[in-house]
Amino acid sequence: MVRTTVRTTTTAALAAVLAAAALGLAPHQAQAAPTAAASTASAAPAELRFHDIPGSGGITLKGNVFTPAGAEPGRTYPVIVLPTSWGMPQIEYIAQAKKLADSGYVVVSYTSRGFWLSGGEIETAGPKDIADVSAVIDWALANTPADPDRIGLGGVSYGAGISLLASAHDARIKAVVALSGWADLIESIYSGRTQHLQAAGLLGAAGCLTGRPGPELQRILGDFLGSNLDREQQMIDWGKQRSASEQVDRINANGAAIMLGNAWGDTIFPPNQYAKFFERLTGPKRLEFRPGDHATAEGTGLLGLPNDTWTNAHRWFDRYLKGDRNGVDTEAPVQIKSRSNAGYEGYADWRSVGSGGAERLALADSEHLFANVDSGADGGIVLLSNVLDQFAKAPPIASIPLLPRAFAAVWQSQRYDEERRVRGTVKLHTTVTPTKADGTFVAYLYDVGPLGIGKLVTNAPYTFHGKPPGQSFGVDLELFSTAYDVPAGHRLALVVDTVDPLYIEHNPTGAQLTFSSPRTDPSYVSVPLREQ
């Protein structure tokens, strides 16, 4: 056991030293509190110092600290605390932390509890994780030249989720940057009452490989992936406790300036839930959406490369922690980049994104499907497919004419004479008649070219339980928000099937689904468009 611990510690330390060396840093072993020697050395360029930081409940968090280049003894500086992402060690933010320190910040990064060499068990942004944030802030105020009136918090993914939740509980936090995170955990991995299989499986596997999942997380994950409906409400309650959307009133009361950033194709934390949360914030706020998948929009910035997301994150901190009049607060608060072009579009709020109105496509024909067979229409592969879309404009595709109609329902628009700029959240309204009490279907919107090849615009799953077989019921489903330009000469196609590797499906053997459009309640898909 001792030999294994030493080997693990040595490996982590070596990785940190190599990362620091690559950035031209010289790590030092820090003391529990600043000394006279440390104050004298603070005039040197920003240095990486490793610390054991007391967390809540008596555990130790592994962290590192940058102080501003040329820090003056007796002077305080704005401080930014960066909790790590799920499965990442404390060196995750080194490149950005150094840049922030060089511009005048104290930056404290730490490995979230339960991961790598930090103590405790993985709590999945539970109360102990939130208490850790306050404990780290307390430590920073006591052991670094941090200004108690200028405290910022930020992170990617897990660090983003923890940061939003902490802003509801610690009024000292004045600014938050939450990138590729979640505000609603249920809507993120259980949207449409459907388990996002690949996302949850990836998080579970990464947690086991890099940390120590607690018994509560193990039980929740087992019930979730095992489709234990007897414990569905307990799982929902667990997720709500870890959702900033449930605490938005406290966040608004504390008044932190909040910047949210995400990718259109995030297969772990889809963009819809961030947009809804943004609309409920009443303080200074900013929302940015770009092409990509989970954490890929800001990923290059973690390597120290030029990155728009991190550039704006620095501007956000500068405005609300330093008071710099850099214009970030006078720009349109919603900034998006279409998946089809390189330009940014600014909007006054999320509702204005589809300001050109919604085009309603009638789904008039009745379609009958046999379940349990993948038609070939799929949402792609977690963390891979939308990266290809980000860098190569190559989203998942399907040959729409060749989709087997026994297993895929297809409705198509007419060919468009001019470009259609899809912006926002596509909505499906339809009527379903099942032959079994339970079932799942997935809706896809495709951009179909002249040869019938469809490029995926967006998708979303839907699951039902306990419906009377043979009785129709209405469905309203929001597909994942996006920004996509459909070229002139193309058409849109809505495809529905019952199997997708991204999701757990609940169709019993022999299940069939009929999609109809009653005269008194016509079926349609509503496509929001940018104003021309």
Side-chain angles (χ1 to χ4, degrees), residues 45-384:
E47 295 178 329
L48 172 64
R49 294 176 179 268
F50 295 95
H51 293 265
D52 287 343
I53 302 175
S56 65
I59 71 161
T60 297
L61 301 170
K62 296 295 182 178
N64 59 70
V65 176
F66 279 100
T67 51
E72 300 174 6
R75 178 182 172 187
T76 59
Y77 299 85
V79 58
I80 297 173
V81 175
L82 302 172
T84 59
S85 303
W86 185 272
M88 294 296 289
Q90 57 168 299
I91 61 172
E92 175 184 10
Y93 301 112
I94 279 182
Q96 291 302 322
K98 183 179 186 300
K99 290 182 178 182
L100 287 165
D102 286 342
S103 66
Y105 291 94
V106 173
V107 186
V108 182
S109 304
Y110 70 93
T111 303
S112 299
R113 84 162 41 221
F115 289 102
W116 295 93
L117 300 180
S118 281
E121 297 175 324
I122 301 173
E123 300 287 337
T124 321
K128 293 180 181 179
D129 290 299
I130 308 312
D132 283 342
V133 172
S134 294
V136 172
I137 291 173
D138 292 341
W139 179 89
L141 294 176
N143 294 279
T144 74
D147 187 336
D149 296 322
R150 295 186 291 170
I151 297 172
L153 194 61
V156 175
S157 185
Y158 192 49
I162 289 175
S163 296
L164 288 176
L165 286 161
S167 70
H169 293 270
D170 195 324
R172 295 175 296 179
I173 299 167
K174 297 299 189 291
V176 174
V177 171
L179 306 177
S180 290
W182 78 92
D184 188 326
L185 193 56
I186 302 301
E187 280 300 306
S188 293
I189 61 174
Y190 196 49
S191 68
R193 207 180 176 186
T194 308
Q195 298 102 316
H196 293 209
L197 173 62
Q198 290 185 17
L202 179 65
L203 292 173
C208 290
L209 288 173
T210 62
R212 299 169 299 282
E216 183 181 38
L217 173 58
Q218 294 181 49
R219 182 176 63 253
I220 290 291
L221 194 59
D223 289 338
F224 184 79
L225 295 176
S227 302
N228 185 356
L229 290 177
D230 291 338
R231 289 189 52 82
E232 182 182 33
Q233 190 57 51
Q234 288 90 330
M235 288 186 279
I236 290 173
D237 292 342
W238 179 88
K240 285 184 175 181
Q241 185 184 34
R242 290 155 171 81
S243 297
S245 59
E246 296 292 317
Q247 302 182 44
V248 69
D249 290 341
R250 296 182 64 169
I251 293 173
N252 287 335
N254 287 340
I258 295 179
M259 172 180 161
L260 306 171
N262 205 355
W264 294 119
D266 194 320
T267 45
I268 296 180
F269 303 130
N272 301 47
Q273 44 92 30
Y274 245 19
K276 292 176 183 178
F277 176 71
F278 171 82
E279 287 292 89
R280 296 176 63 196
L281 294 173
T282 58
K285 59 183 181 178
R286 184 180 177 94
L287 176 67
E288 299 183 356
F289 284 143
R290 297 176 176 84
D293 206 310
H294 185 64
T296 64
E298 60 272 7
T300 55
L302 293 175
L303 301 175
L305 300 175
N307 181 277
D308 290 352
T309 305
W310 282 105
T311 295
N312 288 338
H314 287 227
R315 295 173 66 216
W316 192 255
F317 284 133
D318 288 348
R319 176 66 187 90
Y320 291 102
L321 296 182
K322 290 182 178 179
D324 290 356
R325 298 289 179 179
N326 55 21
V328 71
D329 56 328
T330 62
E331 297 170 355
V334 176
Q335 295 286 326
I336 70 172
K337 180 184 284 189
S338 168
R339 292 162 51 200
S340 307
N341 59 64
Y344 282 94
E345 301 168 8
Y347 298 89
D349 51 37
W350 176 248
R351 291 185 297 273
S352 300
V353 171
S355 56
E359 179 173 352
R360 181 173 290 194
L361 307 178
L363 309 179
D365 297 333
S366 179
E367 297 283 348
H368 184 81
L369 299 184
F370 293 92
N372 308 114
V373 175
D374 190 341
S375 70
D378 289 321
I381 301 172
V382 66
L383 293 184
L384 176 61

Side-chain angles (χ1 to χ4, degrees), residues 21-37:
L23 292 166
L25 305 173
H28 294 266
Q29 181 63 43
Q31 303 301 317
T35 63

Side-chain angles (χ1 to χ4, degrees), residues 2 4 14 38 42 104 138 202 204 234 264 300 315 324 331 338 401 414 422 430 432 435 439 466 474 483 490 519 522:
V2 173
T4 301
L14 178 59
S42 65
D138 292 341
L202 179 65
Q234 288 90 330
W264 294 119
T300 55
R315 295 173 66 216
D324 290 356
E331 297 170 355
S338 168
Q414 298 297 316
V422 181
T430 189
V432 181
T435 60
H490 288 213
R519 181 178 301 176

Side-chain angles (χ1 to χ4, degrees), residues 509-522:
T509 301
Q512 301 173 43
L513 300 176
T514 299
F515 295 85
S516 59
S517 182
R519 181 178 301 176
T520 57
D521 187 19

